[in-house]
Amino acid sequence: MHFTSEQRLDDGVLEREFTLGEIPGTLWTPESTAPVPLILMAHNNGLPKAQPRLVARGRYTAANGYAVATVDAAGCGDRPRSAAEEQARADIRRAFQTGEPVEHIDDIFESLVGPLVHKAVPDWRTTLDALLALPGIGGPVGYSGWMALGVHLAAIEPRIVAASFYAGGFVPRAQREEARQVTIPLLMLLQWDDEGNPRQRALDLFDAFGSKEKTLHANMGGHTGTPWFEGEDVNRFYGRHLKAVSGKP
C-alpha cells in the first residue's frame, strides 16, 4: 500500500489517498492513541469513490472513531470497464428512456451488476488484508453501503462482523439467494419511494437474511433522500457491534 497524499480535516480526521497495485482508495482515520475498528464503505454499482455522498459519510464516520476505507474496485470509478459493461449501461439508459418493462430492465441490470460484484470482491479482500496490517487499525471490521457487494462479502468474509446496507441498488438473483447465508448483525436503510428500487423486493430481501439481529429503517422519500439522522443511528449500530467488541468507548 502506497499513500499518495494526505490532509488533516477540520474535525481532526486524517484523509489519505492510496494505491494498492492497480486499486486506488481513500482512508479516513480519527485522532486516536489506540487501534480503532475498521469500516469498509462502498458505493452502488460501479460509481466512484470520490462520489460526494460517500465522501461525506466516510469523513463523518471517521470523526466518530472509526477507520473508514473506500476503493475503486475492478469496473468501478475510473478503473477500466469492459465493452460488455459499457453496453449494459447504455442499454439501461435506453430502457429507462423508452419505458421498457421492469422485467427487461432487471435482465440488463443482472448482466451488469452480477459480474461487477464478482470482479470487485477480490480487490476489496486484498484491500482489507493491507488495511489490517497498518498501525492504528485493529478491527473488528464492518461494512457499509452497496448492498449487492455487501451481501456477497458478508457471506464469504469472516472478518466482517456487522453491516449496514443501503437498499437503493439492484441486487442480483445470486445475492438474493446468498442473503440466507448472512448471519451477522445488519442495519438496512430503505427509502420508501425509491424510484429505482421496488419496495417489495427490498422487503423480501430483508426477510431473507439469516441474521438473528437485523433492523430495517424505512423513510419516506426518493433514492437520495436518506435523512441526516440515519448517520447517527448507523454509528450507534457500529458502536454496539464494533466498539463494544474492541473495547473502545
Side-chain angles (χ1 to χ4, degrees), residues 11-239:
D11 52 13
V13 169
L14 181 63
E15 179 180 87
R16 289 178 283 178
E17 300 294 322
F18 66 83
T19 58
L20 183 61
E22 297 180 350
I23 308 168
T26 306
L27 174 64
W28 295 277
T29 49
E31 291 183 309
S32 176
T33 58
V36 295
L38 170 65
I39 296 173
L40 306 178
M41 189 170 286
H43 207 293
N44 278 358
N45 299 349
L47 291 175
K49 66 183 180 63
Q51 206 280 339
R53 286 189 294 138
L54 184 146
V55 171
R57 286 191 0 244
R59 292 175 172 179
Y60 174 79
T61 305
N64 281 271
Y66 304 92
V68 182
T70 187
V71 302
D72 281 341
C76 300
D78 294 328
R79 298 281 297 277
R81 297 179 177 184
S82 69
E85 290 167 354
E86 290 298 272
Q87 184 60 55
R89 287 186 169 92
D91 290 344
I92 289 167
R93 289 192 293 270
R94 183 174 61 253
F96 275 115
Q97 290 168 357
T98 58
E100 295 189 26
V102 171
E103 294 78 11
H104 183 218
I105 296 174
D106 280 355
D107 288 340
I108 305 173
F109 267 118
E110 186 80 31
S111 71
L112 172 65
V113 180
L116 265 182
V117 167
H118 285 277
K119 287 169 60 178
V121 163
D123 283 355
W124 278 98
R125 298 186 86 175
T126 296
T127 302
L128 178 56
D129 292 340
L131 290 168
L132 290 177
L134 294 176
I137 300 178
V141 180
Y143 174 90
S144 174
W146 181 13
M147 180 177 282
L149 173 67
V151 170
H152 191 45
L153 274 176
I156 66 172
E157 177 50 73
R159 290 173 292 184
I160 296 176
V161 301
S164 65
F165 293 140
Y166 288 78
F170 180 84
V171 177
R173 299 180 189 96
Q175 275 66 67
R176 291 179 224 166
E177 288 299 317
E178 207 169 25
R180 304 180 191 284
Q181 304 172 30
V182 176
T183 59
I184 61 175
L186 298 176
L187 172 59
M188 180 170 157
L189 303 182
L190 170 64
Q191 287 301 102
W192 202 243
D193 306 301
D194 192 330
E195 55 276 15
N197 185 38
R199 182 188 306 162
Q200 190 58 52
R201 180 184 296 167
L203 295 174
D204 290 344
L205 183 58
F206 178 77
D207 189 53
F209 283 117
S211 305
K212 291 183 178 179
E213 181 180 335
K214 53 183 178 179
T215 302
L216 174 68
H217 287 188
N219 290 283
M220 303 301 292
H223 182 73
T224 60
T226 304
W228 63 268
F229 57 75
E230 288 292 359
E232 296 180 346
D233 288 339
V234 169
N235 279 332
R236 282 192 286 269
F237 168 79
Y238 286 127

